[in-house]
Amino acid sequence: MPSASAQSRPSTARAVPVTAAIIALAAGGFGIGTTEFAIMGLLQNVAEGLQVSIPQSGQLISAYALGVVVGAPVLAALGARLPHKYLALGLMALFTVGNLSSVFAPGFSSMLVTRFISGLPHGAYFGVAAVIAASLVAPVKRARAVAAVMLGLAVANVIGVPLVTWLGQQYGWRLMFVAVGIIGAITLVLIQRFVPFSPAHAEASMRRELRALKRIQVWLALLIGVVGFGGFFAVYSYISPTMTDVAGLPEAALPIVVGLYGLGMVAGNIIGGRLADRSVMGSIYIVMTAIIGVLVLFWAVADVAVLAVAVVFLVGVAGSSLIPGLQTRLMDASPDAQTLAASLNHSALNMANALGAFLGGAVISAGWGYRAPALVGAGLAVLGLGVALVSGLLDRRSHAPAVPGKEAEVSNRKKTMKA
C-alpha cells in the first residue's frame, strides 16, 4: 500500500499536463498584469491624449480596480455551479472583449466605463485559477502552485508592461489595449487545450460560496490586503512622474524602470510562495514589515536616480511577496467556498489599488510632491501589519488555527499512522 507521502505527490506521468495547465492559467495573468500596470507607465501619455491632468487620469487606474472589487465576488458567486474550466474561459472572454472596447472609447468618461468593465473578470479569474492550480498538486505545495499562476502577473511586468509602454510611447497609448486583447485570445486557446475538466462540486451554489463572508478571518485577511497593499500602490501608481520629475530620469528610461520592477515581482512571487508553504501567517508578518521599510527607503532616496531605480526593484519584491500568502490564507480560511474567497483576494488588492491611487493623487494635488505617496504608503502598510497581528492573535486564542498549513497536515498523518 503506498505511503501517505507518495499519495500526496502527483505522479511523473501527470507532471507535464500539470505544468502545461498552470502555464495556460498564468498566460491569463500575463494579460491581466499587462493591462493593469502598463497604464501606470503611460499615465502621462493617456493624460495628454484624453486632455486631462495626471491626477485625473489616475482615476482610470481606480476605475479598473473598482471593477475588480465589484466583479470578483459577483462573478465568482454567479459562476459557482459552473465547472472551473468553463468559468475560467468565460471570465477570460469577458476580459478580452472589455480591453478591446477601450481601443474605441472616444473620451475620458467612456474610457472610465471600459476600464471598469475590463476589471470585472480580473479577481474572479485569479480566484478560480488559484483553486484549479492548488487542486493539481500536493497540499504542501499549494502556495507554490498559486504563486506559479500569479507568476504570469509578475512576468507581465518584466516583458509585457515594458514592451507595451514602449509601443505606447512610440505609436500611441491605445495600442496597449490591442496587445492585451491578443493576449486574451491566446489564453482562451491555451485554457481550452491544456486545463483539465472537472465537474462542479455536487453541492456548489451561490449560497455555499457566500458562506465565506461570514468568517472573521476572511474579512481580516481582506483588510490586510486593502490597507497593507494600498501603500504599495500609493507609490507605484505615480512611478512615471516620480522617476522623471524627482529622480530626473528621461522618459525613455521608464520601460527599464518598470522592467526592473517586474523582475522584482518575479523574485518576490517565488519567495512569497515558498515562505507561505512554510508558514502562511509568518510570511505575511515578514512581508508587511519589508513593505514598510522599502517604502520609507524609497521616500528617502527618490531624488537620487541610481538609488531610486534600485529601490523600485525592491518595491516589486516586497509587494509581490505578499500575494501568495494572502491568497492561501483566504482559501484556507474558507475551505468550503474557496473560489469566492480566492477571488476576494483580488478585490482586496484592487481596493488597495484604488485607495493607493486616490491617496497618492490627493497628496500630490495638495502640493506635497511626488515623494509624499511613499510616506502615505508606509503608513498604510503599518496598519496592514497591525491587522495581520490581530488575525494571528485570534488564531492563537482559538487554539485551532484557521489555516490548516503544513503543521496541521503532519498532525493528521501522525493520527492516521497511529490508527
Side-chain angles (χ1 to χ4, degrees):
M1 185 174 181
S3 66
S5 61
Q7 289 176 336
S8 67
R9 292 193 302 266
S11 66
T12 304
R14 292 185 61 204
V16 172
V18 167
T19 300
I22 289 178
I23 290 174
L25 296 168
F30 180 82
I32 289 172
T34 300
T35 197
E36 182 178 19
F37 292 105
I39 196 168
M40 298 176 186
L42 291 169
L43 207 57
Q44 291 165 298
N45 305 82
V46 173
E48 292 173 3
L50 297 177
Q51 298 182 338
V52 296
S53 67
I54 290 178
Q56 188 177 2
S57 66
Q59 294 176 23
L60 295 174
I61 299 171
S62 298
Y64 180 91
L66 291 173
V68 181
V69 172
V70 173
V74 172
L75 296 181
L78 289 175
R81 292 183 178 273
L82 290 175
H84 288 153
K85 177 175 180 175
Y86 293 167
L87 180 57
L89 284 169
L91 292 168
M92 186 47 55
L94 177 59
F95 172 81
T96 302
V97 172
N99 275 277
L100 289 175
S101 67
S102 293
V103 178
F104 306 104
F108 181 71
S109 296
S110 57
M111 184 64 72
L112 281 173
V113 174
T114 60
R115 288 295 289 171
F116 176 81
I117 293 172
S118 298
L120 288 173
H122 174 134
Y125 175 82
F126 273 124
V128 71
V131 172
I132 293 171
S135 72
L136 296 175
V137 300
V140 294
K141 294 183 178 180
R142 292 172 308 137
R144 273 171 279 186
V146 171
V149 170
M150 297 302 299
L151 196 60
L153 184 70
V155 172
N157 284 275
V158 180
I159 300 174
V161 174
L163 177 60
V164 169
T165 300
W166 179 81
L167 288 173
Q169 290 174 343
Q170 300 299 317
Y171 303 106
W173 55 270
R174 288 182 189 268
L175 191 61
M176 175 186 82
F177 302 110
V178 176
V180 172
I182 293 172
I183 295 169
I186 293 172
T187 300
L188 286 169
V189 174
L190 293 176
I191 292 175
Q192 176 61 34
R193 173 68 178 83
F194 294 112
V195 173
F197 172 85
S198 60
H201 193 282
E203 299 179 3
S205 68
M206 183 184 299
R207 179 178 297 180
R208 189 172 189 264
E209 288 292 324
L210 291 175
R211 289 176 189 170
L213 300 179
K214 296 182 179 181
R215 297 183 170 98
I216 184 63
Q217 290 291 7
V218 169
W219 286 104
L220 289 174
L222 293 174
L223 190 56
I224 293 169
V226 171
V227 295
F229 217 68
F232 160 79
F233 278 112
V235 172
Y236 194 67
S237 295
Y238 300 95
I239 196 66
S240 173
T242 302
M243 298 307 290
T244 55
D245 293 7
V246 179
L249 291 175
E251 186 176 323
L254 290 178
I256 298 174
V257 173
V258 295
L260 284 172
Y261 163 79
L263 287 173
M265 282 194 72
V266 171
N269 198 67
I270 295 170
I271 293 169
R274 293 184 178 276
L275 286 175
D277 272 331
R278 293 184 177 185
S279 172
V280 174
M281 287 307 298
S283 73
I284 293 173
Y285 299 149
I286 292 170
V287 172
M288 290 306 307
T289 303
I291 290 174
I292 295 167
V294 167
L295 294 182
V296 171
L297 181 60
F298 184 75
W299 170 81
V301 304
D303 58 346
V304 182
V306 174
L307 295 178
V309 171
V311 177
V312 165
F313 171 81
L314 296 179
V315 170
V317 173
S320 186
S321 295
L322 181 63
I323 298 175
L326 279 180
Q327 189 83 74
T328 307
R329 175 70 171 174
L330 281 162
M331 291 168 63
D332 287 339
S334 188
D336 58 343
Q338 288 191 332
T339 301
L340 178 59
S343 299
L344 287 172
N345 185 37
H346 299 276
S347 284
L349 296 183
N350 281 271
M351 285 181 70
N353 190 337
L355 178 66
F358 173 77
L359 292 179
V363 294
I364 292 169
S365 296
W368 294 357
Y370 287 114
R371 293 171 66 176
L375 291 183
V376 173
L380 290 172
V382 169
L383 292 176
L385 178 59
V387 175
L389 292 171
V390 169
S391 178
L393 179 62
L394 290 177
D395 269 358
R396 291 190 292 274
R397 285 185 174 179
S398 70
H399 302 293
V403 183
K406 184 181 290 187
E407 297 86 354
E409 184 182 348
V410 172
S411 176
N412 290 334
R413 288 179 182 175
K414 288 181 178 179
K415 290 178 182 178
T416 302
M417 291 175 68
K418 288 180 180 180

